[in-house]
Amino acid sequence: MSSWSIQDAENIYKFQRWGNGYFKVGNDGNLKVAPKIDEPNLQIDLPEIIKEMQEDGIEFPAVIRFHDILRSQVTSLNKTFKRIIKESGYENNYMGVYPIKVNQMREVIEEIVDAGRPYHYGLEAGSKAELMAALAYNTNRRSLTILNGYKDDEYLRLALLGRKMNRKVVVVIEKFSELKRLIKLSKELQIEPIIGLRVKMMVKSRGKWAHSSGERAKFGLSIAEILNAVKLLEAEQMLHITELLHFHIGSQLTDIRSVKEAVQEASLIYSKLHQQGVPLKYIDVGGGLAIDYDGSQSTNDSSRNYSLDEYVSDIVYGIKQTCELQQVPHPIIVTESGRAITAHHSCVITKVIGEIKRTGTDYDTSNLPDEHILVSNIRDLNNLLDDDSDNYQEVYNDAVQIKEQAMNGFKLGILSLDEVAKIETLYWELLNRIEKISLKLSFIPEDIKEITESLSSQYLSNFSVFQSTADSWAIDQVLPIAPITRLDEEPNIQCSLVDITCDSDGKIDKFIGDENEPIAKNIPLHPLKLDEDYFLGIFLTGAYQDVMGDMHNLFGRLNEVHIFSYDDDPKDFYIEEVVKGSSAKQVLTTMQYNSEMMAKKVKKQIDKQIRKGRIAPREGVRLIDFYEESLASYTYLK
Ligand SMILES: *Cc1c(COP(=O)(O)O)cnc(C)c1O
C-alpha cells in the first residue's frame, strides 16, 4: 500500500488555496462542499449530489450551482467593506453593485439582489438588454443601478424610465457625445438622471486586461473632456446631478499595485473636481477584484497577490488619505466586482469516457525465427536496461535510433507491418520503464523529462471546451480541475483532457502546477475502472465561463441543477431547480433549421427505401421514431 493521504490530494489539487474555504477533501476521499462561509461544519458530499442527479435521470455533463456560495460571496464582500470602513474611521458608506455581464442568469441575479438587500447592493448594466433586466430585478429603492457601455437614445430613454420608477439610476458617460444626447433627452422628457463621469485613467493595469486602461482605453473621458463636461453641465444647470466619478482599469487585476495607483489617481481627481464645485457623492472603482484560479497567490495571469481584506483596505484607506489631505468629504465607495462574486458558485461536472494512450497498446512481441535484426536489437535493449544502474540514458538513445531506423526500413520495404508494430510496442515498454527509473532520480536529464510528456495520456471527457471553459481556450485561463472521488487514492496517471468536439483546440492542457512549474501540462488522475464512473469537476466557472459558451459543434447549454443547503435534510442539501440543457432540436433551430421539416425529409427517404423493399415497413417506422427521439434529446454523449 502507498502512504497516500488526503493531504497529498490537497497538495496536488489545492482546493484550499483556490476554494476560499468552500471545498475540502473528506476523510472518505470524496470532495465536500461547505457552501456557507460562516458555517464550515455544514458540508455537502459532492458525489452524493451526483448520485441524486443520476437517480433523477439528469444527464451529464452538468453545471452545479451552489446558491449558498453566491450568497456567502455577496455577504463577505459587503461585510468586509463595512468592517474596514468602521476600523479606519472612514466617514461614509459602501454601496456596491454587481455587473450583470459576468453571469446574467436570472436565478443568479435574483439571488445576488436578495442576499445584498441588507447592504443595498445594486446592479450594473452594460447594454440595453442588461439594463432591462436590472430595471425589472433591482427592486431595492435604495440601491444603485449603474449604467456603463456605449449608449444610444433608446438606452438613455430606458435609463430615464428607471428614474421615473424612482430607481437610483446612474448614467455613466463613457463618451462626450453621450452627454449632449442625455441632456437633450432629459430636457425633452423632463426627468433628471443621475450623472456619472468615467475617467480615462493614466495608470495602466497589469496583466491580461492592461489594454482596458491607460490613454488608449476604449472607454472614458480625458481630463480635458471631463472639464468640458463640467462646463457644459453647469451651463445647462445640471451640475447638481453630477454625482459619481467612475473608473475601471480592467478585470482580473493580478497585482495590488495597480489598485493602489488607480485609487490614488482617481481620488485626487475626485478631490479636485469637488473643490471646483462638482457635487460628487460617489467614487466607483469599477471591477477587477481577481480570483486566485491557480492557488499560487502570485501575479500570474490566473492568480492575485492580495487578499480581499487587503484589496478593501487599499481602497478605503487610499481614498480616505487623499480626501483628508485635500480637505474634501469622504465619498460613498462603489465597486463593481463581478468575477469575485460569482466565480466560486458554479462548477461543471463531466464524466471521463475513455483514455487515449499515446504509448502503443498490447501487442504480441514474441520472437519469430527469421525476424529482422532491429526487432531483436530493441528486444535486447529491454534486457539490457537495468532498473538500478544508470544506463538508462544510453538505452534511451539506442531505442530512439532503432525506432527511426525501423521507420526508414519500413519505407524501403525491408520491415513488415508486424515487425514495425513489435518495434513500436517494445519502444514504448522501454520508455515506460525508463520513466519509472527517472522518477527516483534527484536530477532528471532534459531528454528523459520529455519522456514523461510523451507518455502522458489524454482523458476523453464528455464536455465542450468552447461551451463550458471558453477562457481556457481563448486566453489560456487556468481553471482548477480535480476528481471528486477517490481522493484517498494516489492518482498515478499523468494526463491532459480532451473534449468531445471535433476540434483539435478542444482540449485542456494547462493545470495548476507547483512551485517549480506554476502551470503544468498534465494533471495526475486515477486509472479508469470498468465498473465505476469517473467524474471530474471543473471549478470556478461561475464568472464569465457559464455565460460565454458558444455553439461549436452544436453542443449547446448544459443541464443545470441549483443546490441549496438544508441542515435538517439527512444529506444537508436539496435540488431546488433543474434547468434542462439544449436538445438537438433547440441548437438546430438557432441555426435556422426546422426540426419538423428535417423529420419529414428523413421520413421521405426512409419511405423510399421501404418502397424499394430495402427496409421492412415495421423497421422503417422504428427508424423514423428513433430520429425524432434523437432530435428531442440532449446533445452530449449518453
Ligand atoms: C466587466 C466589468 C466589470 C466587472 O469586472 P470583474 O473583473 O469581473 O470584477 C465591472 N465594471 C465594468 C465597467 C466592466 O466592464
Side-chain angles (χ1 to χ4, degrees):
M1 276 306 286
S2 75
S3 57
W4 183 261
S5 76
I6 56 169
Q7 184 55 45
D8 295 312
E10 168 60 37
N11 293 345
I12 289 186
Y13 304 115
K14 299 192 168 62
F15 298 105
Q16 313 262 3
R17 297 284 287 273
W18 53 258
N20 215 11
Y22 296 120
F23 300 92
K24 190 173 172 246
V25 185
N27 288 326
D28 56 358
N30 285 353
L31 189 62
K32 312 286 173 184
V33 183
K36 292 188 177 174
I37 245 175
D38 47 357
E39 287 180 51
N41 291 327
L42 175 74
Q43 289 185 4
I44 301 172
D45 186 76
L46 193 49
E48 191 66 52
I49 296 179
I50 288 170
K51 203 171 122 211
E52 187 161 328
M53 289 168 68
Q54 286 176 312
E55 283 162 9
D56 292 350
I58 299 163
E59 292 168 292
F60 291 88
V63 169
I64 300 186
R65 252 180 235 298
F66 292 95
H67 281 244
D68 300 282
I69 293 184
L70 204 47
R71 299 185 73 90
S72 284
Q73 288 296 94
V74 171
T75 308
S76 117
L77 178 69
N78 279 285
K79 279 192 171 163
T80 306
F81 264 104
K82 234 184 166 130
R83 172 168 50 80
I84 288 171
I85 279 178
K86 195 159 173 227
E87 278 168 17
S88 64
Y90 189 84
E91 290 160 6
N92 215 329
N93 302 319
Y94 169 69
M95 280 184 72
V97 292
Y98 166 72
I100 294 181
K101 76 156 188 264
V102 180
N103 192 323
Q104 303 99 336
M105 283 280 297
R106 173 179 52 81
E107 291 89 338
V108 170
I109 302 297
E110 282 177 335
E111 204 64 64
I112 289 173
V113 168
D114 190 61
R117 196 171 302 277
Y119 314 99
H120 309 303
Y121 190 63
L123 295 175
E124 184 264 3
S127 68
K128 277 185 275 190
E130 288 181 358
L131 167 54
M132 285 181 243
L135 287 178
Y137 284 87
N138 191 11
T139 46
N140 182 342
R141 218 164 25 81
R142 290 176 59 186
S143 69
L144 295 168
T145 300
I146 295 194
L147 308 183
N148 291 308
Y150 291 129
K151 302 164 196 77
D152 62 5
D153 281 3
E154 190 179 17
Y155 191 142
L156 294 172
R157 278 172 192 272
L158 283 165
L160 294 170
L161 165 70
R163 291 296 291 153
K164 277 272 190 211
M165 289 158 60
N166 200 18
R167 290 287 172 275
K168 279 196 187 151
V169 179
V170 184
V171 181
V172 177
I173 302 299
E174 308 266 12
K175 206 165 165 284
F176 197 81
S177 57
E178 282 174 7
L179 183 59
K180 291 188 180 153
R181 283 189 288 115
L182 179 63
I183 291 171
K184 185 165 162 280
L185 278 172
S186 163
K187 299 219 149 140
E188 214 174 282
L189 303 171
Q190 300 194 338
I191 317 165
E192 284 195 334
I194 302 172
I195 295 176
L197 299 173
R198 177 161 179 172
V199 48
K200 199 175 266 187
M201 302 280 282
M202 277 173 269
V203 324
K204 273 200 171 237
S205 73
R206 299 165 175 85
K208 279 267 174 228
W209 278 271
H211 55 274
S212 321
S213 55
E215 278 166 11
R216 287 190 49 78
K218 193 165 126 183
F219 292 113
L221 308 179
S222 66
I223 298 289
E225 284 174 316
I226 293 222
L227 293 179
N228 283 339
V230 168
K231 256 190 220 138
L232 179 63
L233 285 161
E234 207 165 7
E236 300 286 345
Q237 270 135 40
M238 286 173 89
L239 198 59
H240 64 284
I241 50 170
T242 309
E243 295 186 6
L244 183 139
L245 188 75
H246 181 280
F247 72 90
H248 170 72
I249 58 168
S251 197
Q252 184 67 8
L253 300 174
T254 59
D255 192 339
I256 192 69
R257 280 187 299 168
S258 311
V259 177
K260 287 178 197 273
E261 288 167 14
V263 164
Q264 195 180 18
E265 183 180 331
S267 44
L268 197 55
I269 297 171
Y270 159 84
S271 301
K272 296 294 175 195
L273 288 174
H274 205 284
Q275 287 162 358
Q276 274 197 26
V278 186
L280 292 170
K281 282 200 332 214
Y282 306 90
I283 285 192
D284 181 345
V285 306
L289 175 52
I291 291 284
D292 191 5
Y293 291 96
D294 66 14
S296 66
Q297 293 171 20
S298 69
T299 55
N300 288 351
D301 282 344
S302 299
S303 187
R304 69 177 193 196
N305 67 353
Y306 54 92
S307 65
L308 175 61
D309 263 42
E310 194 179 345
Y311 174 79
V312 172
S313 292
D314 281 340
I315 292 171
V316 173
Y317 283 93
I319 297 176
K320 180 171 185 270
Q321 194 178 36
T322 306
C323 289
E324 277 162 11
L325 282 171
Q326 298 294 325
Q327 297 181 322
V328 291
H330 299 173
I332 295 172
I333 298 172
V334 180
T335 69
E336 303 174 346
S337 294
R339 191 185 291 277
I341 295 291
T342 59
H344 287 85
H345 91 282
S346 88
C347 59
V348 172
I349 304 291
T350 161
K351 191 162 108 184
V352 178
I353 50 179
E355 178 177 5
I356 303 168
K357 279 196 187 143
R358 298 180 215 188
T359 58
T361 46
D362 288 340
Y363 190 78
D364 179 8
T365 57
S366 56
N367 201 340
L368 288 180
D370 55 350
E371 73 176 6
H372 194 274
I373 181 87
L374 285 176
V375 186
S376 317
N377 284 353
I378 199 161
R379 189 180 298 104
D380 290 346
L381 279 181
N382 251 310
N383 299 329
L384 196 69
L385 183 66
D386 190 337
D387 286 338
D388 299 316
S389 81
D390 54 1
N391 66 350
Y392 59 88
Q393 175 93 52
E394 196 184 330
V395 168
Y396 173 69
N397 294 342
D398 290 353
V400 172
Q401 196 189 14
I402 293 176
K403 191 164 166 258
E404 271 167 21
Q405 287 172 340
M407 285 325 294
N408 290 331
F410 175 67
K411 281 185 218 151
L412 295 171
I414 302 168
L415 263 81
S416 68
L417 273 176
D418 174 63
E419 284 166 332
V420 172
K422 280 178 177 165
I423 289 174
E424 215 179 68
T425 308
L426 290 164
Y427 172 81
W428 288 115
E429 275 176 29
L430 263 177
L431 258 57
N432 269 305
R433 284 182 61 203
I434 295 172
E435 194 212 10
K436 284 217 179 67
I437 295 170
S438 76
L439 292 179
K440 288 186 254 163
L441 305 171
S442 51
F443 170 78
I444 308 178
E446 212 48 45
D447 275 1
I448 308 293
K449 264 193 210 155
E450 281 170 19
I451 295 181
T452 305
E453 188 55 38
S454 63
L455 285 174
S456 70
S457 287
Q458 288 173 313
Y459 269 15
L460 176 60
S461 304
N462 191 8
F463 79 111
S464 155
V465 162
F466 307 95
Q467 172 62 232
S468 295
T469 60
D471 280 343
S472 88
W473 165 68
I475 56 166
D476 288 337
Q477 170 86 65
V478 175
L479 291 166
I481 292 176
I484 57 169
T485 51
R486 294 167 71 184
L487 293 162
D488 53 353
E489 189 186 315
E490 182 168 1
N492 52 11
I493 300 202
Q494 287 290 335
C495 38
S496 58
L497 298 186
V498 286
D499 73 2
I500 56 169
T501 64
C502 305
D503 192 314
S504 53
D505 266 359
K507 62 174 185 206
I508 297 186
D509 55 7
K510 287 180 190 67
F511 302 95
I512 293 178
D514 53 27
E515 284 69 28
N516 302 325
E517 193 186 19
I519 297 173
K521 292 198 183 97
N522 290 304
I523 181 175
L525 294 174
H526 301 93
L528 302 178
K529 293 180 184 169
L530 277 177
D531 56 347
E532 196 180 298
D533 288 339
Y534 190 62
F535 285 103
L536 295 177
I538 306 173
F539 297 92
L540 304 184
T541 55
Y544 303 103
Q545 315 314 302
D546 260 358
V547 292
M548 284 198 322
D550 68 25
M551 297 283 279
H552 198 9
N553 261 157
L554 296 186
F555 281 112
R557 287 192 68 80
L558 271 60
N559 284 331
E560 213 182 287
V561 293
H562 297 189
I563 305 291
F564 276 89
S565 66
Y566 185 49
D567 234 347
D568 291 342
D569 184 275
K571 296 175 187 168
D572 288 333
F573 74 90
Y574 65 101
I575 298 177
E576 185 252 3
E577 192 183 0
V578 179
V579 184
K580 289 242 341 134
S582 306
S583 64
K585 198 189 291 190
Q586 284 169 330
V587 293
L588 286 162
T589 305
T590 63
M591 294 289 156
Q592 296 282 68
Y593 292 90
N594 175 326
S595 60
E596 278 158 35
M597 194 87 88
M598 289 166 71
K600 267 190 204 143
K601 280 176 186 279
V602 168
K603 182 171 182 305
K604 210 165 150 189
Q605 294 172 67
I606 288 181
D607 284 345
K608 199 166 161 189
Q609 298 301 315
I610 294 175
R611 279 199 305 278
K612 291 191 173 167
R614 293 191 187 127
I615 297 179
R618 209 177 270 279
E619 190 195 355
V621 172
R622 255 204 320 272
L623 289 173
I624 294 163
D625 284 351
F626 168 63
Y627 182 82
E628 285 178 354
E629 276 161 30
S630 297
L631 276 174
S633 75
Y634 198 27
T635 49
Y636 291 86
L637 301 188
K638 299 236 162 112

